[in-house]
């Protein structure tokens, strides 16, 4: 019988924030003419950056699952939430204008 894997809440929050970052970035670029500020986007292109981001998300999520470093998890969540907040503010302000 397969062993049930329980996903930690902090890992789930991390993955959700990363997905929101990808979605808000795509919306900003496609519909509002924003540009990606990550210098890797210029080198890899958006598709390459997307693939790299998915690999990094999986690596960090795996690390968060196996390690129990509460303060590191909190710092990661804090940092990851910043682009989502920034992108959301820019999109909402563009819609209000």
């Amino acid at each position: 019988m397969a062993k049930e894997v329980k996903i930690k809440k902090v890992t789930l929050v991390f993955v959700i924030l990363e997905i929101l970052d990808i979605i808000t970035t795509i919306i900003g670029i496609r519909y509002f003419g924003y540009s990606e500020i990550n210098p890797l986007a210029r080198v890899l292109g958006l598709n390459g950056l997307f693939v790299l981001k998915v690999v990094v998300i999986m690596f960090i999520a795996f690390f968060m699952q196996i390690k129990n470093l509460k303060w590191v998890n909190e710092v990661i969540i804090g940092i990851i939430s910043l682009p989502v907040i920034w992108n959301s503010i820019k999109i909402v302000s563009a819609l209000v204008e």
Side-chain angles (χ1 to χ4, degrees), residues 60-72:
I60 293 174
F62 176 75
F63 178 77
M64 292 173 85
Q65 269 303 110
I66 62 172
K67 295 291 183 183
N68 194 16
L69 303 172
K70 185 176 179 179
W71 71 272
V72 173

Side-chain angles (χ1 to χ4, degrees), residues 17-88:
L17 284 171
E18 284 292 351
I19 292 169
L20 287 173
D21 179 31
I22 292 170
I23 291 170
T24 56
T25 299
I26 291 170
I27 290 170
I29 291 171
R30 288 240 167 114
Y31 299 106
F32 297 101
Y34 300 149
S35 60
E36 173 64 58
I37 61 172
N38 187 336
L40 281 175
R42 292 184 205 107
V43 176
L44 300 175
L46 285 179
N47 290 337
L49 183 65
F50 176 75
V51 170
L52 178 64
K53 193 165 185 71
V54 168
V55 170
V56 171
I57 291 169
M58 291 187 328
F59 175 76
I60 293 174
F62 176 75
F63 178 77
M64 292 173 85
Q65 269 303 110
I66 62 172
K67 295 291 183 183
N68 194 16
L69 303 172
K70 185 176 179 179
W71 71 272
V72 173
N73 292 343
E74 290 171 354
V75 168
I76 290 172
I77 295 298
I79 291 171
I80 296 306
S81 65
L82 294 176
V84 175
I85 294 168
W86 176 253
N87 291 343
S88 299

